[in-house]
Amino acid sequence: MSTGPASLGAERRLPDKAAFDRVFEAPDLRLWHHPFSLFARHNATGPARLGLVVGKRHARRAVDRNRLRRIVREHFRVALIARCDIIVLARPGAANVDAFDLHAAARWLFAQTSQRIA
């Protein structure tokens, strides 16, 4: 695992199923922009944390699932979001979307999240 200045360390990831369940049970924000859905919940302590759900149903090949995760993590790192837990889900057809549209969707989701959560 990468430990460089641009890496997403353990403190910036949702750690377990219980953390995912808390966000899914009562999200403060729900956004959708093809091919992603985003759920966010205010976190009173610590930095913003990210959880990703990219299933084989929506991206059959591992290379496609990893590409989706990499793009979302890249935009999460540069977004100025504080104190919230975020889950991003890949939706049907996500593997067939070109890189330009994936970057645009991720950028839009995190821009909206930073505006609405703050």
Side-chain angles (χ1 to χ4, degrees):
M1 183 178 197
S2 151
T3 58
S7 69
L8 191 63
E11 71 280 353
R12 301 282 314 263
R13 297 178 189 238
L14 287 178
D16 54 15
K17 183 181 182 316
F20 275 78
D21 288 342
R22 279 191 297 274
V23 176
F24 281 130
E25 285 173 6
D28 295 328
L29 177 65
R30 294 178 193 167
L31 295 172
W32 180 85
H33 194 284
H34 183 71
F36 300 116
S37 291
L38 181 141
F39 297 85
R41 182 173 179 169
H42 182 71
N43 176 5
T45 62
R49 300 185 300 177
L50 177 68
L52 294 165
V53 180
V54 183
K56 285 185 181 179
R57 176 179 285 176
H58 305 309
R60 298 296 260 170
R61 300 180 322 157
V63 67
D64 293 330
R65 292 191 301 275
N66 292 334
R67 178 175 62 113
L68 293 167
R69 290 184 191 112
R70 190 171 48 251
I71 288 170
V72 171
R73 281 195 304 261
E74 176 183 338
H75 288 281
F76 175 74
R77 275 192 288 269
V78 299
L80 299 173
I81 302 171
R83 296 185 179 187
C84 94
D85 293 339
I86 299 170
I87 297 175
V88 177
L89 291 122
R91 305 304 301 168
N96 301 327
V97 177
D98 67 352
F100 180 80
D101 292 336
L102 289 173
H103 282 280
R107 188 176 21 251
W108 184 86
L109 284 173
F110 289 117
Q112 291 296 311
T113 302
S114 65
Q115 289 175 3
R116 295 181 186 189
I117 290 291

